[in-house]
Amino acid sequence: MTELGQARAARWWVRGRRIGSIERARAFIDDVGFALLFPAPRAVVPSLWEAVAGEDEEPFGSGMGKNEQRVWTWKDELPRRGLAWYGAYLGGRGTFLSPDLLTALYPAAGHPSDHQSLELSPAAHEIAEAIAGEPLPSATLRALIGDRSRYQRAITELQRNLLVTTAGVHESGSGWPAARIALTCEQFEVGGGTDHALATERFLATMLETTPGELGRAFRWPVAHARARLDELAENGRARADGTRYSRNHP
């Protein structure tokens, strides 16, 4: 493993004591700022699974084991308690964001009507209107939209814009429980204005080394915007620039 890989393994809680409680899971997400639920090919970022099970364990390799049950439960329970946001974000995959990073990235005013200020599909607007004031099970929202594919596209669209999150589950009595979908602004304190400087510093502090392209892909920013934010860190002495790569300056 390269020196950067070893440093990231330590930074991302892959090395050391495993996570075995939701309180430690919260501490992990607060520390790294962002993490996938499960690791993904070509996505070199932290994951809750690796912090729980280690880097050599394959998720669901032996079915639904203890570690799988833990992380699967926490993906709904952490946002229900307001401890971490969860939704399809990094690369369109299930992602946790810490409350401070969520606030720095949230694109609207923090009101139930936030969706109206964004260019979204009619189905996405319909879902946002339906859950204003009360989370609803995903099965109920699918029935409302009337088409599974349209529902999935709309919910992904809302999550990509950080407007909705999961908020616990609804037990149906048979089969898997359905996730409850809630407006982000009703689960978390958001809407004070974006802080892309903070988001950039948090990203670099976790990645240890990055490029404008990687930062832009992660947060859906134009590469020029990502480069400008990284250059600001370098100018302030909080990062080092080496060509297109930026690394964290240790305090």
Side-chain angles (χ1 to χ4, degrees):
M1 183 180 288
T2 66
E3 183 178 345
L4 176 60
Q6 292 174 344
R8 282 176 169 173
R11 178 71 184 88
W12 300 351
W13 295 39
V14 176
R15 305 289 167 79
R17 184 162 62 97
R18 305 267 57 86
I19 292 175
S21 68
I22 194 170
E23 290 77 17
R24 286 263 297 160
R26 174 197 184 176
F28 163 70
I29 296 164
D30 281 345
D31 184 39
V32 297
F34 59 93
L36 295 179
L37 175 60
F38 295 112
R42 297 184 298 279
V44 185
V45 294
S47 74
L48 179 59
W49 170 261
E50 288 179 311
V52 168
E55 59 188 327
D56 296 326
E57 289 295 322
E58 185 73 20
F60 303 104
S62 303
M64 181 63 87
K66 181 174 65 175
N67 288 329
E68 285 85 356
Q69 290 173 349
R70 282 174 171 166
V71 299
W72 201 253
T73 298
W74 294 344
K75 76 177 175 59
D76 299 308
E77 190 63 14
L78 283 161
R80 186 189 73 80
R81 298 189 194 182
L83 303 179
W85 183 90
Y86 180 77
Y89 189 66
L90 292 176
R93 295 181 178 275
T95 304
F96 296 98
L97 296 178
S98 64
D100 70 321
L101 185 55
L102 171 67
T103 299
L105 293 170
Y106 190 78
H111 301 143
S113 60
D114 283 345
H115 65 100
Q116 296 173 4
S117 66
L118 301 178
E119 292 187 10
L120 304 170
S121 66
H125 286 297
E126 190 173 358
I127 289 171
E129 291 282 356
I131 61 177
E134 180 185 12
L136 291 176
S138 55
T140 300
L141 295 171
R142 277 196 299 273
L144 174 71
I145 298 305
D147 179 89
R148 180 179 290 272
S149 295
R150 282 182 64 234
Y151 164 78
Q152 194 56 55
R153 287 194 299 271
I155 205 71
T156 299
E157 189 180 359
L158 289 164
Q159 291 173 338
R160 189 170 61 240
N161 285 281
L162 302 177
L163 293 180
V164 303
T165 186
T166 54
V169 296
H170 173 74
E171 299 287 350
S172 61
S174 62
W176 286 92
R180 290 184 183 273
I181 307 299
L183 290 178
T184 296
C185 65
E186 294 181 340
Q187 294 295 117
F188 298 91
E189 293 291 333
V190 292
T194 58
D195 188 342
H196 288 182
L198 172 63
T200 300
E201 188 161 13
R202 289 285 269 140
F203 185 81
L204 184 57
T206 294
M207 296 300 293
L208 304 180
E209 184 178 299
T210 193
T211 66
E214 290 171 349
L215 173 62
R217 283 191 296 275
F219 294 155
R220 294 181 174 82
W221 296 345
V223 173
H225 179 74
R227 182 179 295 109
R229 300 290 76 75
L230 287 165
D231 283 341
E232 286 176 0
L233 286 184
E235 290 165 8
N236 294 332
R238 304 181 74 85
R240 295 188 304 275
D242 181 9
T244 61
R245 299 201 71 81
Y246 296 75
S247 56
R248 183 188 183 194
N249 251 353
H250 293 286

